[in-house]
Amino acid sequence: MSDQFKAPKGTYDVVAPFSATWLAVKSALTTPPMMSGYDYIETPLFEDTALFVRGVGESTDVVNKEMYTFEDRGGRSLTLRPEGTAGVLRAVLENRLDKGALPVKVWYTGPNFRYEQPQSGRYRQHTQVGVETVGSSDPAIDAEVIWMAIYAQRNILGLTGVRLLVNSLGCHNCRPQYRATLTEFLSGLNLDETTRQRAVINPLRVLDDKRPDVQEQLSSAPLMPDHLCGDCRSHHASVLRYLDILGVQYENAPRLVRGLDYYVKTTFECVHDGLGAQSAIGGGGRYDGLIETLGGDALPGIGFGLGVDRTCLAVQAEGLTLPDAMQVAAFLVPLGEQAQTVVVGLAQQLRSAGIACDMAFDSRSMKAAMKGADRSGAKFALIIGDDEVAGNEVVVKNMGSGEQTSVPLELVISTLQSQI
Ligand code: HAM
């Protein structure tokens, strides 16, 4: 029908069978923070617009071009969150978590909204799994955060094509000087007007320009790692040393800059080369100074956001099969009214015993019900007809081998438990 509604431009539905991959990816990405002492946090989908303007930064594309901002009926300017960090830090301060034991370590997951030009891997609603830490400037926490970001991708999901890029962007002491040096270098290049303007607002972003003619001119550009102050240099060296100790493979990426304004010192990105232009499947870094900007004490912080959508694309690009948490172990087939009564009770008993199962509804014929059993992917079909009801039995069919055995009703659970 032509007048059916469609998902808004740049959004999509997560439906089966893809939804199993989606859940498996989310579960994998959330495992390392859950194993590392991070508390779960949930914040509203919308916040005061000013929070993002101040927190994410006025010179960013995210704030300038991509925010979903609206006025509510009370005349407040609100914005759908374009990223997680600003809202989480607002919540940390509002709930005075920063006044308790430090560092505060939290993880979160949920959708973010950016009015971007949609393309493969770039959507107007995307989902992240993220962590934020507040109150530690120990390079060991940088290493923990980076390790968590890459461990899930490489070791839990089994992605082999992810590269970890690491850089230091310097701090509020050394970056201004580097920025001036870079600005001077850029002023001597043959750049178009838009790039020139970008160089004035945020010269570091120009380093990220992917066009070959610009890249060629940038080959001798001054790079941040060569202009770090002593403190930043030793912090960066310690982070890299910890990554070596953890056996994390990384690449030094002196040209890596991030799209949000708040980063200082350690920055990193996980990129997957099988994804085309939108290759960053996650990124993060330190944001010492941001908490102060948001009205808190001068506490350091570091975190990451991993893109669930793009990680799913990477999983598909590598042809990986992930465990399906919705996969049922048994599919129950009632043949007749009396059998249906038994099956309804048995299904509930199996589920209570921790055996996931589904059943055929609507008095399906044996053939149709067995098709359902097949589609469910269950290892066993449990078939109950009049004879089985009379004999208090169940026919257990192994869907792989086709082998069938009659099992007394009261032994079905233990039989399945021993064979799953
Ligand atoms: P971000 O790099 O803007 O960082 O986003 C993190 C990840 O979210 C990206 O690497 C990408 O995988 C995914 N992502 C971003 N935009 C889109 C989009 N339009 N469509 C699909 N996926 C997208 C942040 O958001 C920071 N808050 C991360 C952070 C936390 N840094 C410190 N703490």
Side-chain angles (χ1 to χ4, degrees):
M1 276 199 295
S2 60
D3 59 352
Q4 268 189 353
F5 289 111
K6 291 215 159 69
K9 184 173 175 185
T11 70
Y12 62 97
D13 303 306
V14 176
V15 299
F18 172 66
S19 54
T21 302
W22 176 270
L23 269 190
V25 163
K26 260 194 151 189
S27 149
L29 299 182
T30 54
T31 298
M34 287 172 73
M35 302 287 288
S36 308
Y38 287 69
D39 293 324
Y40 179 63
I41 188 167
E42 235 176 83
T43 64
L45 283 187
F46 55 85
E47 299 271 1
D48 266 345
T49 301
L51 173 72
F52 298 119
V53 174
R54 220 194 298 165
V56 177
E58 271 170 291
S59 79
T60 60
D61 281 352
V62 169
V63 166
N64 276 319
K65 305 184 194 154
E66 298 171 1
M67 294 210 299
Y68 278 90
T69 298
F70 60 98
E71 196 171 286
D72 76 0
R73 286 164 198 267
R76 303 167 192 89
S77 178
L78 298 171
T79 295
L80 296 185
R81 68 175 180 220
E83 59 100 52
T85 310
V88 166
L89 294 183
R90 195 263 317 133
V92 166
L93 296 179
E94 188 170 340
N95 293 280
R96 300 177 61 80
L97 303 183
D98 60 318
K99 301 295 181 203
L102 297 179
V104 178
K105 304 207 297 184
V106 291
W107 72 271
Y108 54 88
T109 179
N112 301 284
F113 306 87
R114 298 182 189 179
Y115 191 82
E116 298 201 74
Q117 224 20 67
Q119 55 171 264
S120 171
R122 190 162 74 191
Y123 311 106
R124 292 187 172 168
Q125 172 174 332
H126 74 274
T127 296
Q128 290 185 19
V129 168
V131 305
E132 310 297 345
T133 74
V134 170
S136 173
S137 51
D138 190 334
I141 208 165
D142 300 43
E144 176 177 280
V145 166
I146 296 175
W147 172 82
M148 289 193 298
I150 197 72
Y151 182 81
Q153 293 167 2
R154 285 188 181 150
N155 299 63
I156 303 181
L157 293 170
L159 289 167
T160 53
V162 193
R163 291 185 296 128
L164 170 64
L165 311 180
V166 183
N167 192 19
S168 172
L169 286 181
C171 66
H172 303 297
N173 295 324
C174 54
R175 193 155 66 206
Q177 213 174 346
Y178 165 68
R179 195 184 147 116
T181 311
L182 179 64
T183 303
E184 200 186 317
F185 171 84
L186 294 176
S187 69
L189 301 186
N190 180 18
L191 300 170
D192 60 81
E193 195 43 40
T194 321
T195 314
R196 231 168 237 303
Q197 278 169 14
R198 184 158 353 126
V200 173
I201 301 168
N202 188 347
L204 273 75
R205 287 295 301 173
V206 178
L207 291 178
D208 205 24
D209 200 311
K210 303 279 187 302
R211 290 171 297 179
D213 58 315
V214 180
Q215 273 306 319
E216 203 181 313
Q217 295 193 64
L218 289 171
S219 59
S220 57
L223 297 174
M224 188 68 238
D226 300 324
H227 294 77
L228 296 175
C229 61
D231 184 32
C232 286
R233 198 172 315 124
S234 74
H235 184 90
H236 194 50
S238 297
V239 173
L240 299 184
R241 190 164 45 85
Y242 281 125
L243 292 181
D244 289 337
I245 291 170
L246 294 171
V248 173
Q249 282 185 352
Y250 62 87
E251 293 172 28
N252 281 306
R255 287 159 192 272
L256 175 70
V257 283
R258 305 259 307 127
L260 311 173
D261 267 0
Y262 45 64
Y263 293 108
V264 294
K265 291 188 173 170
T266 309
T267 44
F268 59 95
E269 224 160 63
C270 308
V271 295
H272 194 283
D273 294 327
L275 298 188
Q278 305 307 315
S279 62
I281 60 177
R286 237 179 211 287
Y287 42 75
D288 305 353
L290 176 58
I291 293 150
E292 217 175 344
T293 307
L294 298 178
D297 294 341
L299 289 171
I302 180 167
F304 65 61
L306 303 176
V308 173
D309 312 72
R310 289 188 196 165
T311 307
C312 286
L313 291 176
V315 163
Q316 290 173 328
E318 291 197 16
L320 301 179
T321 312
L322 303 179
D324 178 354
M326 271 97 55
Q327 171 75 62
V328 292
F331 193 91
L332 281 58
V333 177
L335 301 171
E337 233 169 82
Q338 276 185 306
Q340 164 112 352
T341 311
V342 176
V343 157
V344 167
L346 181 60
Q348 183 267 333
Q349 285 171 24
L350 290 175
R351 290 164 184 160
S352 302
I355 299 171
C357 66
D358 194 4
M359 61 176 277
F361 291 101
D362 298 300
S363 313
R364 290 272 183 275
S365 68
M366 173 81 163
K367 196 172 157 207
M370 289 310 287
K371 246 193 203 161
D374 221 23
R375 255 199 316 267
S376 77
K379 196 166 171 195
F380 298 100
L382 308 186
I383 305 158
I384 303 183
D386 290 340
D387 289 352
E388 284 71 32
V389 174
N392 244 339
E393 283 180 343
V394 176
V395 172
V396 177
K397 177 173 181 181
N398 183 319
M399 296 297 285
S401 64
E403 187 192 336
Q404 296 196 175
T405 41
S406 285
V407 176
L409 195 54
E410 70 272 17
L411 294 183
V412 169
I413 290 180
S414 55
T415 306
L416 292 188
Q417 274 169 338
S418 68
Q419 293 186 42
I420 290 169

